[in-house]
Amino acid sequence: MRRLLLAALATGVPLVTAAAYLPNAAAQPPHGPASASAPRTCSPQSVTAPAGTTVESVTAVRHEAGTVDVPEVWPLPADHVDGVPAFCDVTVTLTHPGAGDHAKVRVWLPLQGWNGRLQTIGGSAYAAGDYGKGLAGAVRNGYAAATTDAGVGTYIDTSWALSGDGQVNEAPLQNFASRSEHEAAVVAKEVIGRFYGRPASYAYFNGCSTGGRQGYMEAQRHPDDYDGILANAPAVHWDEFEVATLWPQVVMNQEKNYPTPCELAAFTKAAVQECDPLDGAEDGLVDAPERCGFDPRSLIGTKVLCAGRELTITAADATVVRKIWDGPRTTSGRKLWPGVPVGAELSGLAGTTPPDAEGNVKGAPFPVPAAWVATWLEKQPSFDVSTITYSRFTQLFKQSQAEYGRVIGTDDPDLSAFRDSGGKLLTWHGGADEFIPAQGTVRYRQQVERKMGGIKKVDDFYRLFLAPGATHCGLNNGSGATVDDLGALVAWVEQGKAPRTLPATLRNASGDLVTRELCGYPRMPRYDGHGDRTTAAGFHCAPPTRH
């Protein structure tokens, strides 16, 4: 479980420059680099409170050049970022009068060499912001960086959710959902303007997962906050998908069958082998998991070696996997949400405990959806989610929509104000995302197209790229799989170079690194029939095959 938590909480915030997309690595926004001025003094400054808030305190701490140590925040271990220039860490604490909240906005300001840009870093799971790694990476690349904790908890700490009488704490939920991210943008811009004597030439938002959702919320509700928003694997449709990701546990509990991780991996391996060739090349990547028609019943009777034991895949195992891949449905058969994509690690959401003394196992739900259902829906943090029946699941899904869709759904398709402000929104989403199915992001993109005039008009300001084989926030997270997404966004915003593709390095099902051009949605990669299958040269982007 700890390994899965670490994977799920990876923010994917890149520690790379935009050099691949800019004419030269030293390219600067208008007004030139701030390094031409004298070194800045790091001291507390006056900050105007954003509308509806009061500034409780402002602190400033100077950090010398060198290594930034990132603290351990459970379940993530301590980390560090080397080569960070000297910077001033300004922390502004805000409160909403009468709410009793205390939201911290941190702004890291390079003392020399500022590139004239702001980069705000988003959060992960139930953490609204960054604990230092993303901030340090941004400062190392010349940005002034900002983040907010929204006054809530850490990654899986939801103790702030309910009041003493068991009612939802509306103020921190509003902070987490939308309010604090906007206030962070307002504060960061003022701090930057006062510190450097001029405003940032460009403002960017950078987030994945919860951070991706925050980016979409900014585009929807505060379209003037950022010139460019990089929002990857976004947790949009939060009120729906958060319940939907508990579905694998409901299936196992209701079917009274708990396949082992080894058996789940066997299903995934077989499905990838069958559906890998759909793009014309057997390269270990399933480019369109939603088109994979692999029948898990074909593995019934197959022997699987697991920790020295030989297991036989049963019809019950196949039923569980089929339902998980298919996704949640009502008892009448109506589909509620996409399932875990074929090719993704099933044990992420279909986790189980180790066998007890009698060899029995039970479900081990992923903490994020379990907390959402138990705390915000049942209003009982200790609620046993293993008791949820198929019919109760449908009720909870509808309840979440009704109670929280307007608060945190983050699925308003009207991006006209963001478009009119000149903003650009760029997203990639992994095809093997084990926690947030990419089809949810595709669904939102299609809703925007219907609302705003079709693919070409939406492409003018919003582009989506699907990354075959990529896991949740699985690029730029140290696995060797990479993409210069921020560089592409900067080039689009500042030079008008809209990205048709995103050059990427991906890790396939065998663990090998291959290069690909991520195709702009709805185009898909197709093998040309010749050339090296491990490089992008043998592939081109083509319209999706119709079925």
Side-chain angles (χ1 to χ4, degrees):
M1 177 61 74
R2 179 178 171 85
R3 179 182 62 81
L4 295 171
L5 281 170
L6 297 180
L9 298 176
T11 63
V13 174
L15 300 181
V16 297
T17 69
Y21 285 87
L22 296 177
N24 58 75
Q28 297 291 343
H31 308 302
S35 57
S37 60
R40 304 288 168 175
T41 300
C42 184
S43 59
Q45 56 182 267
S46 174
V47 175
T48 304
T53 74
T54 297
V55 174
E56 291 190 312
S57 65
V58 180
T59 63
V61 179
R62 178 187 173 106
H63 293 259
E64 299 302 330
T67 298
V68 170
D69 293 317
V70 182
E72 177 182 2
V73 181
W74 197 87
L76 297 186
D79 205 343
H80 67 275
V81 179
D82 296 324
V84 181
F87 65 93
C88 182
D89 176 0
V90 175
T91 300
V92 180
T93 303
L94 305 174
T95 186
H96 298 86
D101 59 342
H102 310 281
K104 289 182 172 59
V105 179
R106 299 185 72 184
V107 187
W108 288 14
L109 305 152
L111 296 178
Q112 289 183 290
W114 178 46
N115 65 17
R117 305 177 178 97
L118 162 66
Q119 183 183 158
T120 298
I121 309 298
S124 181
Y126 290 111
D130 180 67
Y131 292 100
K133 186 174 183 178
L135 292 168
V139 169
R140 190 172 70 179
N141 290 323
Y143 290 84
T147 199
T148 179
D149 68 2
V152 295
T154 56
Y155 297 116
I156 55 175
D157 172 15
T158 58
S159 59
W160 52 272
L162 302 179
S163 62
D165 59 357
Q167 299 300 307
V168 172
N169 270 328
E170 300 292 345
L173 178 60
Q174 187 177 350
N175 287 353
F176 178 70
S178 62
R179 184 165 60 181
S180 286
E181 205 58 64
H182 167 62
E183 292 162 358
V186 174
V187 167
K189 289 178 181 180
E190 181 180 357
V191 169
I192 286 170
R194 290 181 182 273
F195 188 78
Y196 294 112
R198 66 173 176 85
S201 299
Y202 297 99
Y204 295 93
F205 183 88
N206 188 353
C208 190
S209 193
T210 284
R213 185 198 63 76
Q214 292 168 322
Y216 273 68
M217 186 67 90
E218 280 290 285
Q220 292 166 16
R221 295 192 182 178
H222 304 286
D224 297 321
D225 280 354
Y226 294 100
D227 302 293
I229 294 175
L230 180 60
N232 302 321
V236 293
H237 305 285
W238 177 283
D239 56 310
E240 297 170 306
F241 105 85
E242 205 59 83
V243 180
T245 47
L246 199 59
W247 175 252
Q249 294 290 318
V250 175
V251 170
M252 292 191 299
N253 290 325
Q254 290 297 287
E255 301 300 323
K256 295 180 173 54
N257 182 268
Y258 303 88
T260 65
C262 300
E263 291 167 310
L264 294 175
F267 282 104
T268 298
K269 181 179 180 180
V272 170
Q273 288 177 341
E274 178 167 313
C275 297
D276 179 6
L278 292 178
D279 63 354
E282 295 186 32
D283 55 1
L285 296 172
V286 177
D287 294 295
E290 71 280 1
R291 291 173 46 219
C292 180
F294 175 75
D295 186 348
R297 292 176 296 184
S298 64
L299 287 193
I300 295 174
T302 300
K303 305 294 184 181
V304 176
L305 188 63
C306 186
R309 295 186 302 148
E310 186 178 78
L311 306 175
T312 301
I313 291 177
T314 67
D317 296 330
T319 295
V320 166
V321 171
R322 178 182 61 79
K323 287 179 176 288
I324 292 174
W325 277 341
D326 181 55
R329 292 181 180 271
T330 66
T331 52
S332 63
R334 181 172 66 85
K335 193 174 184 68
L336 295 172
W337 199 252
V340 176
V342 170
E345 185 179 6
L346 288 167
S347 57
L349 295 179
T352 54
T353 62
D356 61 18
E358 286 74 38
N360 299 314
V361 299
K362 60 181 180 179
F366 190 63
V368 180
W372 181 255
V373 171
T375 305
W376 277 274
L377 298 182
E378 295 288 355
K379 315 296 192 296
Q380 303 174 52
S382 61
F383 175 77
D384 184 359
V385 297
S386 71
T387 63
I388 299 173
T389 63
Y390 286 135
S391 59
R392 179 59 180 152
F393 178 89
T394 299
Q395 294 170 351
L396 290 166
F397 190 90
K398 293 179 178 179
Q399 177 190 349
S400 188
Q401 288 176 309
E403 293 184 6
Y404 300 104
R406 292 181 181 274
V407 178
I408 199 172
T410 323
D411 52 7
D412 182 356
D414 186 358
L415 297 178
S416 56
F418 181 72
R419 175 201 61 200
D420 295 345
S421 74
K424 308 300 182 189
L425 172 60
L426 189 151
T427 292
W428 61 258
H429 203 141
D433 193 319
E434 66 274 40
F435 296 106
I436 303 178
Q439 285 305 300
T441 303
V442 169
R443 177 179 296 190
Y444 175 77
R445 162 74 194 214
Q446 292 171 340
Q447 291 169 333
V448 175
E449 291 172 4
R450 288 193 292 270
K451 180 73 175 180
M452 301 188 65
I455 294 173
K456 291 184 178 180
K457 290 187 177 180
V458 173
D459 272 349
D460 286 343
F461 66 94
Y462 169 25
R463 298 204 173 189
L464 168 64
F465 299 85
L466 301 180
T471 57
H472 185 59
C473 295
L475 304 181
N476 300 323
N477 68 352
S479 66
T482 60
V483 63
D484 189 6
D485 43 9
L486 181 60
L489 179 61
V490 169
W492 191 10
V493 168
E494 299 181 20
Q495 300 174 29
K497 296 181 178 180
R500 289 180 54 82
T501 63
L502 289 182
T505 299
L506 305 175
R507 194 171 290 281
N508 67 16
S510 300
D512 301 321
L513 293 175
V514 299
T515 61
R516 289 289 182 272
E517 296 281 343
L518 304 186
C519 300
Y521 176 83
R523 295 179 300 155
M524 301 293 295
R526 293 289 180 271
Y527 182 56
D528 292 329
H530 54 82
D532 189 348
R533 291 178 175 85
T534 67
T535 68
F539 293 78
H540 69 281
C541 294
T545 303
R546 296 186 179 277
H547 290 275

